[in-house]
Amino acid sequence: MGAGRTASDVDEHTPVLAAEALAGLALEAGGYYVDATFGRGGHSALILQALGREGRLLAIDRDPQAIAAGERRFADEVRLALVHASFADLRTLVPEHAEHRACRGVLFDLGVSSPQLDDPHRGFSFRGDGPLDMRMDPTHGEPVSAWLARASVDEIRQVIASFGEERFARRVAQAIVARRRERPLASTAELATLVAGAVRTREPGKHPATRTFQALRMFINDELGQLERGLRGALEALAPGGRLVVITFHSLEDRLVKRFMQRESQVDPALRKLPVLPPRARPRLALVGRKTRPGEAELARNPRARSALLRVAERLP
Ligand SMILES: C[S@@+](CC[C@H](N)C(=O)[O-])C[C@H]1O[C@@H](n2cnc3c(N)ncnc32)[C@H](O)[C@@H]1O
């Protein structure tokens, strides 16, 4: 815990682009909505405020701690279903909780929450020291330390280069493999120091291990694979006129979202020349507005919003 922080600070997350996300969802008081990334419920609380008695919200998170915190915060909220699951399974989760309602909107607010980043025991942060874990869902898969203990130099290099866009990926990978010959690499502080020694240049305002930590986190949680499945599931689950709102924090994530929305908002190129378009060739999404970034006021209040980017699309009949 950093200077001046209290336990309750660590359990809070300031919702990013909140007004813009709510406007993007075009909330109807009696509608059924999905918060695919509950976190600490910042966006969910605002959605519930805008919904009437008949409205319903399904909120999902793959982190059991997020769900436990949500159950405490929203213990009396009968309009909310809080589920420990991955948004990769939206295709089945949304109808399961629909109670015969049509889904009017799905919100994704990607990346990690402040409590995940700030709790050294989760192993996401190079500030502070903790076990080298980095799983959003510690009940599945393996900690990143287990993968780093067996992956080849080339596999580690490739992950750090592609997800972290780290120029010194090979040097970092070599340093990791050299160190593990002496002893297993088990702590975040150990990895951060090792990376700082391998990365030659210093980017202003950025810890030298930022790119490596981000890359390993994206890899061990299969964040891009999950996102691809989540977007496809949301598209299947949304009713015509329903809104898809996505907030990203990384250029690779945003590229995936942008391409998905573009592809689904065009006629299938392979079938474009047919005299009569079959239904499956028609666009399934319409883009709504332009991409949005946080304004100066939000950035001054919440520096963690700095790389956020929001895109909105509407499900077509
Ligand atoms: C940026 S936080 C969301 C914060 C939230 N909007 C709020 O205002 O409190 C992202 C959350 O998404 C969750 N998450 C990431 N990938 C997920 C996935 N594939 N399925 C479900 N939840 C996921 C993380 O565990 C984290 O709690």
Side-chain angles (χ1 to χ4, degrees):
M1 211 180 294
R5 295 188 74 88
T6 66
S8 73
D9 288 336
V10 170
D11 211 30
E12 281 170 17
H13 180 95
T14 308
V16 168
L17 288 165
E20 295 83 350
L22 255 65
L25 286 171
L27 291 169
E28 293 163 16
Y32 169 42
Y33 293 88
V34 178
D35 180 351
T37 50
F38 176 78
R40 283 302 180 272
H43 288 104
S44 279
L46 297 168
I47 294 172
L48 287 165
Q49 264 171 34
L51 292 182
R53 282 178 50 193
E54 294 304 312
R56 289 291 180 274
L57 177 65
L58 166 64
I60 295 166
D61 206 293
R62 74 197 289 200
D63 183 346
Q65 286 187 10
I67 299 302
E71 281 167 352
R72 289 193 296 275
R73 178 172 177 187
F74 294 102
D76 300 325
E77 182 50 83
V78 293
R79 299 167 303 167
L80 172 69
L82 203 49
V83 179
H84 177 227
S86 165
F87 59 58
D89 297 323
L90 277 180
R91 190 192 299 264
T92 50
L93 287 167
V94 177
E96 258 171 45
H97 293 271
E99 300 169 16
H100 307 291
R101 292 175 164 85
C103 178
R104 307 298 308 157
V106 180
L107 169 67
F108 292 84
D109 174 23
L110 299 166
V112 277
S113 66
S114 296
Q116 286 170 334
L117 263 185
D118 294 341
D119 178 356
H121 297 105
R122 303 299 304 267
F124 286 107
S125 177
F126 39 77
R127 299 181 209 287
D129 194 12
L132 197 48
D133 191 321
M134 296 199 194
R135 281 172 298 171
M136 290 182 186
D137 181 357
T139 66
H140 281 101
E142 60 177 357
V144 79
S145 55
W147 182 73
L148 286 176
R150 66 159 192 278
S152 67
V153 169
D154 213 51
E155 284 166 335
I156 300 173
R157 180 199 60 76
Q158 215 181 340
V159 164
I160 296 174
S162 55
F163 296 133
E165 292 164 329
E166 171 59 71
R167 280 173 57 203
F168 299 101
R170 177 166 294 283
R171 287 175 55 90
V172 173
Q174 284 168 336
I176 290 172
V177 171
R179 170 61 58 84
R180 82 181 184 205
R181 285 194 196 109
E182 296 162 23
R183 61 175 186 279
L185 200 55
S187 92
T188 50
E190 215 181 336
L191 178 63
T193 311
L194 192 69
V195 175
V199 169
R200 283 266 171 80
T201 52
R202 294 287 178 263
E203 296 174 78
K206 220 175 190 175
H207 188 289
T210 307
R211 291 175 177 278
T212 296
F213 271 65
Q214 175 190 279
L216 293 174
R217 189 202 89 205
M218 289 180 76
F219 169 73
I220 210 71
N221 291 292
D222 183 26
E223 292 183 30
L224 296 180
Q226 294 263 314
L227 178 56
E228 181 79 49
R229 282 179 59 195
L231 292 172
R232 276 194 263 125
L235 185 61
E236 296 300 326
L238 278 170
R243 292 289 182 87
L244 174 62
V245 178
V246 190
I247 303 171
T248 59
F249 291 84
H250 187 283
S251 57
L252 294 176
E253 272 172 2
D254 181 58
R255 195 179 311 158
L256 196 154
V257 174
K258 180 172 133 189
R259 288 190 180 154
F260 176 82
M261 288 187 173
Q262 279 174 347
R263 192 170 64 236
E264 294 296 342
S265 58
Q266 288 163 5
V267 174
D268 184 338
L271 305 173
R272 197 175 280 155
K273 296 223 169 82
L274 292 179
V276 180
L277 279 183
R280 70 189 160 86
R282 295 192 197 126
R284 297 196 291 172
L285 284 178
L287 304 180
V288 177
R290 295 173 62 79
K291 64 182 178 196
T292 310
R293 291 176 196 281
E296 302 273 322
E298 176 165 5
L299 291 176
R301 270 196 325 272
N302 182 14
R304 281 188 176 168
R306 68 189 166 277
S307 43
L309 203 59
L310 175 142
R311 293 181 187 271
V312 182
E314 184 171 307
R315 179 73 160 98
L316 293 171

